[in-house]
Amino acid sequence: IVMYIGQVSKDILKWPRPLSPPVVKLEMRTDAEYGMPSTHAMAATAISFSFLIATANQYKYPYELGLAAALVFSTLVCLSRLYTGMHTVLDVIGGALISAVLLVLLYPAWDTIDRLLLTSPFCPLFSVVVPLVLCYNYPKLDYYSPTRGDTTTILGAGAGATVGFWLNNQYAAAAYTSKNFQPGFPLLTSKIVVVVLARFLVGILVVLLTRRLVKSVALGLLGYRYKFPVGDLEARRRLEVEVPYKFVTYSSVGFSATVIVP
């Protein structure tokens, strides 16, 4: 929700990035995008403070320490956007404030949203159809910008993960209701560290392989359908190609990360 609102706001407001000169731009990939609001600032604020709110009552750690960590993380990300010359101070403040407002508005509905996404039989359909409709109806620009592709990537990954969580809840919930399962930080022995690192690396490998395989298949099928070579970057930027190939690829990544990898 945060990223979609941020990305769409950029292409509706059309506020330019900082002028260079005088700003020295250290990151060029997103230079074609508009500036206001900073979606990095939005994401950092939303992720860090959502994590704090969600874990404060489940894990035993000083709340002040968690609050300080959230503030430091989000502040560092915001400052990095100024340092790289990608945003003005106003872009960053605007992004952080939008996320703060969304957190305040949505927090009372968190439990209801969670329950619906985990138990409703319509969740898989809703989680796929709504993001796809939003991606296909993304604001049109006079020139190509990576915002639509990035937004499709984000919504696709979210859709795949949401379907994965729903599937886990339908068929694997019993594994998490055991009395032996107690939320907390385990005692880190050398054996546990090795196992954790091994699981992490295997998981990353599976996610990367999933992405590569599905992307190749999706682009191959779309190339056959619309008669273009897979390496044609201009063709891959067309709406009828970019949205389905990115959505399918990254929804597979989200699904893999929540169902196959665990």
Side-chain angles (χ1 to χ4, degrees), residues 175-214:
Y176 297 97
T177 56
S178 166
K179 293 181 180 179
N180 296 326
F181 179 77
Q182 296 294 334
F185 295 104
L187 182 64
L188 292 179
T189 64
S190 57
K191 182 179 179 181
I192 289 177
V193 170
V194 170
V195 171
V196 167
L197 288 175
R199 286 171 58 115
F200 175 77
L201 292 174
V202 170
I204 291 293
L205 179 63
V206 171
V207 167
L208 292 175
L209 288 173
T210 300
R211 176 181 175 274
R212 186 177 182 85
L213 175 63
V214 177

Side-chain angles (χ1 to χ4, degrees), residues 165-251:
F165 290 138
W166 178 85
L167 196 65
N168 287 339
N169 190 65
Q170 306 305 307
Y171 300 104
Y176 297 97
T177 56
S178 166
K179 293 181 180 179
N180 296 326
F181 179 77
Q182 296 294 334
F185 295 104
L187 182 64
L188 292 179
T189 64
S190 57
K191 182 179 179 181
I192 289 177
V193 170
V194 170
V195 171
V196 167
L197 288 175
R199 286 171 58 115
F200 175 77
L201 292 174
V202 170
I204 291 293
L205 179 63
V206 171
V207 167
L208 292 175
L209 288 173
T210 300
R211 176 181 175 274
R212 186 177 182 85
L213 175 63
V214 177
K215 181 179 179 179
S216 298
V217 172
L219 277 175
L221 291 173
L222 287 165
Y224 178 78
R225 169 69 176 82
Y226 293 107
K227 304 294 186 286
F228 67 88
V230 173
D232 187 345
L233 292 179
E234 285 302 315
R236 285 161 59 168
R237 289 175 171 180
R238 285 154 43 188
L239 173 70
E240 65 271 22
V241 175
E242 184 176 59
V243 169
Y245 110 72
K246 289 206 168 187
F247 193 88
V248 168
T249 298
Y250 289 96
S251 61

Side-chain angles (χ1 to χ4, degrees), residues 16-20 22-27 30 35-41 74-96:
R17 298 262 185 190
L19 292 176
S20 177
V23 167
V24 177
K25 295 189 176 180
L26 303 179
E27 178 188 314
T30 57
M36 178 68 165
S38 166
T39 46
H40 279 78
S74 53
T75 301
L76 286 175
V77 172
C78 290
L79 291 175
S80 77
R81 305 314 290 161
L82 303 180
Y83 178 78
T84 55
M86 287 290 97
H87 287 286
T88 65
V89 173
L90 190 59
D91 295 343
V92 167
I93 292 174

Side-chain angles (χ1 to χ4, degrees), residues 10-155:
K10 284 184 180 184
D11 289 341
I12 291 176
L13 294 173
K14 298 183 178 180
W15 287 19
R17 298 262 185 190
L19 292 176
S20 177
V23 167
V24 177
K25 295 189 176 180
L26 303 179
E27 178 188 314
M28 300 308 297
R29 179 190 172 274
T30 57
D31 192 41
E33 296 180 8
Y34 290 106
M36 178 68 165
S38 166
T39 46
H40 279 78
M42 291 181 70
T45 302
I47 291 170
S48 56
F49 285 92
S50 293
F51 192 77
L52 172 67
I53 295 167
T55 61
N57 295 324
Q58 294 194 40
Y59 296 100
K60 294 180 180 179
Y61 65 83
Y63 181 79
E64 294 77 10
L65 181 63
L67 180 60
L71 284 170
V72 168
F73 176 77
S74 53
T75 301
L76 286 175
V77 172
C78 290
L79 291 175
S80 77
R81 305 314 290 161
L82 303 180
Y83 178 78
T84 55
M86 287 290 97
H87 287 286
T88 65
V89 173
L90 190 59
D91 295 343
V92 167
I93 292 174
L97 284 177
I98 292 172
S99 277
V101 170
L102 288 171
L103 276 171
V104 171
L105 292 176
L106 291 174
Y107 174 66
W110 274 13
D111 288 341
T112 302
I113 294 170
D114 270 351
R115 186 170 63 254
L116 288 173
L117 290 179
L118 291 173
T119 61
S120 171
F122 301 105
C123 170
L125 182 65
F126 177 86
S127 301
V128 171
V129 171
V130 171
L132 265 178
V133 170
L134 291 174
C135 291
Y136 273 109
N137 291 279
Y138 194 83
K140 292 180 175 61
L141 295 176
D142 297 330
Y143 63 93
Y144 178 79
S145 165
T147 47
R148 185 184 65 204
D150 290 345
T151 304
T152 304
T153 295
I154 293 161
L155 294 188

